């Protein structure tokens, strides 16, 4: 999906997102094939920008999949096709201590990078987060999220691919973990177990250090993705720009996936809980230069999404305040508009993609 100004629209482009007016009335629906009349209408209504489908969504492979599955299922099918490949990469690394880089780089180029360019990636990843939380599944999701963030930060293709690779390899140090640690809630680890957990960051950097041609950013992302801008992270308590840019992106992708994933010992939360946490920490433990574009784009992605509050009331996301507020404004089925920033007692408990 890409944003295009109305003056640059051409007949034949396909809308990637429904357009609504200020009264929340649909102007044009998603998947509309634009005509000259449509473009004239949008100009008359003073709508400045719309979202159209990108090359990936219009590709032959994508369209063939979509003819059998809906867009979400097509994404899930692609994900399922690469899970066993990811598992074999982690298994091989655990046995030999060496990452099979040819297979890993091919997977990034052929599958993960195109998935990250998918306009619905954020929605679809949330649908996947009820699945296994083992390290290779988590690493796949973080790699795709890293690619989405790279797109939002306008990184070039080469840098984006590096960041996707960094996301996949960020937890490679956990291949040295005993299974009993992988199954535990990190918040319950103490003593030697906690020290072993911290060590996975250094182990990851060590595993990657001998790989020729691998950038320092990818190696440092493995070591520094648990560091925090204010020095509260590990393994070394690094701060600010001492933390590599790739690590500052991966820490946010990792945090988002951890919050929204169903894992043993954790309560799976909605994307809106993750957005709130990023907003609350963007000027302390997290990097605002990453958070600002992430929050700007991810909030747009959830406009119109159906939600349920802890009261049982249903509605949809109508807007976000313009001041980087942590919570959205919701339009309830009763007709009420509620700014959740003014009602801390109300929480979004369920979310369904548009």
């Amino acid at each position: 999906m890409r944003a295009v100004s109305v003056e640059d629209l051409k007949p034949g482009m396909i809308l990637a997102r429904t357009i609504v007016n200020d009264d929340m009335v649909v102007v044009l629906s998603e998947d509309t094939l634009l005509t000259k009349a449509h473009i004239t209408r949008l100009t008359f209504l003073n709508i400045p920008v719309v979202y159209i489908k990108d090359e990936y969504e219009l590709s032959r492979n994508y369209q063939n999949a979509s003819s059998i599955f809906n867009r979400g299922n097509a994404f899930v099918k692609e994900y399922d096709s690469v899970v066993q490949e990811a598992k074999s990469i982690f298994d091989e690394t655990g046995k030999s201590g060496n990452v099979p880089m040819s297979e890993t780089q091919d997977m990034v180029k052929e599958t993960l990078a195109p998935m990250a360019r998918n306009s619905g990636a954020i929605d679809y990843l949330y649908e996947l987060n009820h699945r296994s939380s083992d390290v290779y599944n988590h690493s796949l999701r973080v790699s795709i999220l890293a690619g989405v963030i790279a797109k939002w930060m306008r990184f070039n293709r080469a840098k984006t691919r590096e960041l996707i690779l960094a996301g996949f390899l960020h937890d490679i140090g956990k291949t040295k973990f005993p299974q009993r640690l992988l199954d535990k809630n990190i918040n319950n680890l103490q003593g030697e177990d906690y020290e072993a957990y911290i060590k996975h960051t250094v182990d990851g950097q060590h595993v990657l250090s001998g790989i020729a041609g691998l950038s320092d950013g990818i190696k440092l992302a493995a070591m520094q993705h648990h560091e925090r801008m204010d020095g509260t992270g590990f393994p070394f308590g690094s701060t600010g720009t001492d933390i590599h840019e790739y690590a500052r992106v991966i820490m946010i992708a990792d945090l988002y996936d951890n919050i929204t994933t169903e894992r043993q010992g954790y309560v799976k939360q909605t994307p809106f809980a993750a957005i709130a946490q990023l907003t609350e920490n963007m000027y302390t433990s997290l990097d605002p230069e990453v958070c600002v574009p992430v929050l700007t784009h991810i909030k747009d992605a959830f406009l119109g999404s159906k939600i349920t509050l802890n009261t049982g009331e249903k509605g949809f996301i109508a807007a976000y305040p313009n001041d980087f507020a942590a919570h959205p404004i919701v339009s309830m089925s009763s007709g009420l508009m509620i700014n959740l920033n003014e009602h801390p007692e109300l929480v979004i408990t369920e979310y369904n993609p548009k």
Side-chain angles (χ1 to χ4, degrees):
M1 175 174 62
R2 58 193 178 95
V4 176
S5 66
V6 168
E7 63 185 19
D8 292 330
L9 289 176
K10 307 292 183 187
M13 290 180 171
I14 300 175
L15 283 181
R17 185 181 294 170
T18 296
I19 302 170
V20 296
N21 62 20
D22 292 339
D23 296 321
M24 304 309 292
V25 174
V26 173
V27 175
L28 289 174
S29 297
E30 180 181 344
D31 292 324
T32 297
L33 182 69
L34 292 177
T35 64
K36 288 184 178 179
H38 290 143
I39 296 169
T40 300
R41 183 182 179 196
L42 293 172
T43 303
F44 177 78
L45 293 173
N46 293 319
I47 294 174
V49 174
V50 300
Y51 289 89
I52 66 165
K53 293 192 173 182
D54 56 28
E55 295 80 4
Y56 174 73
E57 293 166 65
L58 297 174
S59 69
R60 183 180 299 276
N61 287 340
Y62 184 89
Q63 292 301 324
N64 287 343
S66 294
S67 67
I68 303 171
F69 305 96
N70 65 35
R71 292 175 64 211
N73 284 340
F75 186 94
V76 171
K77 184 175 177 62
E78 282 193 276
Y79 184 92
D80 286 343
S81 73
V82 81
V83 164
Q84 286 306 312
E85 188 174 356
K87 183 178 186 301
S88 74
I89 290 169
F90 271 76
D91 287 346
E92 174 61 27
T93 304
K95 291 174 185 176
S96 68
N98 298 311
V99 181
M101 285 305 300
S102 178
E103 294 92 329
T104 302
Q105 289 173 327
D106 285 348
M107 180 180 65
V108 167
K109 178 182 177 181
E110 301 298 331
T111 307
L112 300 185
M115 290 179 77
R117 291 196 295 270
N118 191 311
S119 62
I122 291 294
D123 273 345
Y124 305 149
L125 283 170
Y126 185 71
E127 288 299 292
L128 291 168
N129 285 0
H130 68 284
R131 301 186 175 207
S132 177
S133 61
D134 50 51
V135 64
Y136 57 88
N137 262 292
H138 169 66
S139 296
L140 278 175
R141 293 190 300 266
V142 169
S143 68
I144 296 169
L145 282 166
V148 172
I149 294 172
K151 177 176 66 175
W152 289 341
M153 294 183 72
R154 300 182 182 277
F155 289 174
N156 63 34
R157 185 176 291 269
K159 191 172 180 180
T160 296
R161 194 172 291 171
E162 273 215 329
L163 196 51
I164 294 170
L165 179 58
F168 181 70
L169 296 175
H170 82 285
D171 264 349
I172 201 71
K174 287 184 177 178
T175 56
K176 295 179 176 291
F177 262 26
Q179 187 62 41
R180 65 182 184 82
L181 285 185
L182 288 172
D183 292 338
K184 286 188 175 182
N185 183 327
I186 180 177
N187 294 325
N188 296 331
L189 296 180
Q190 297 179 349
E192 292 181 359
D193 283 352
Y194 184 68
E195 293 301 318
Y197 181 83
I198 289 177
K199 192 171 178 289
H200 84 268
T201 55
V202 178
D203 286 342
Q205 195 273 344
H206 180 72
V207 168
L208 301 179
S209 63
I211 300 176
L214 205 63
S215 74
D216 288 342
I218 295 173
K219 299 171 186 177
L220 287 170
M223 186 171 70
Q224 295 183 325
H225 64 276
H226 281 291
E227 298 285 10
R228 294 296 182 261
M229 299 294 283
D230 57 4
T232 57
F234 63 80
F236 301 120
S238 300
T239 61
T241 55
D242 288 338
I243 305 169
H244 194 278
E245 180 183 36
Y246 288 3
R248 285 179 263 149
V249 172
I250 300 301
M251 74 171 67
I252 288 176
D254 180 62
L255 181 62
Y256 181 92
D257 187 69
N258 284 334
I259 292 171
T260 58
T261 298
E262 185 174 297
R263 296 178 292 152
Q264 182 178 348
Y266 293 82
V267 176
K268 179 183 178 181
Q269 300 181 68
T270 68
F272 308 104
I275 290 171
Q277 191 165 142
L278 295 183
T279 302
E280 290 162 3
N281 293 289
M282 66 186 292
Y283 292 112
T284 52
S285 60
L286 303 178
D287 182 3
E289 291 187 8
V290 181
C291 286
V292 168
V294 168
L295 291 171
T296 299
H297 286 87
I298 201 169
K299 288 175 177 180
D300 285 346
F302 291 128
L303 292 178
S305 298
K306 297 176 182 178
I307 56 94
T308 303
L309 297 180
N310 54 341
T311 59
E313 295 176 279
K314 298 184 182 298
F316 65 89
I317 305 299
Y320 265 89
N322 293 324
D323 56 355
F324 283 105
H327 304 286
I329 298 169
V330 294
S331 177
M332 307 310 299
S333 54
S334 63
L336 288 176
M337 296 285 284
I338 302 174
N339 185 341
L340 295 183
N341 297 284
E342 300 172 357
H343 294 274
E345 74 282 3
L346 297 178
V347 178
I348 297 172
T349 56
E350 294 182 19
Y351 153 72
N352 294 301
K354 304 193 280 277

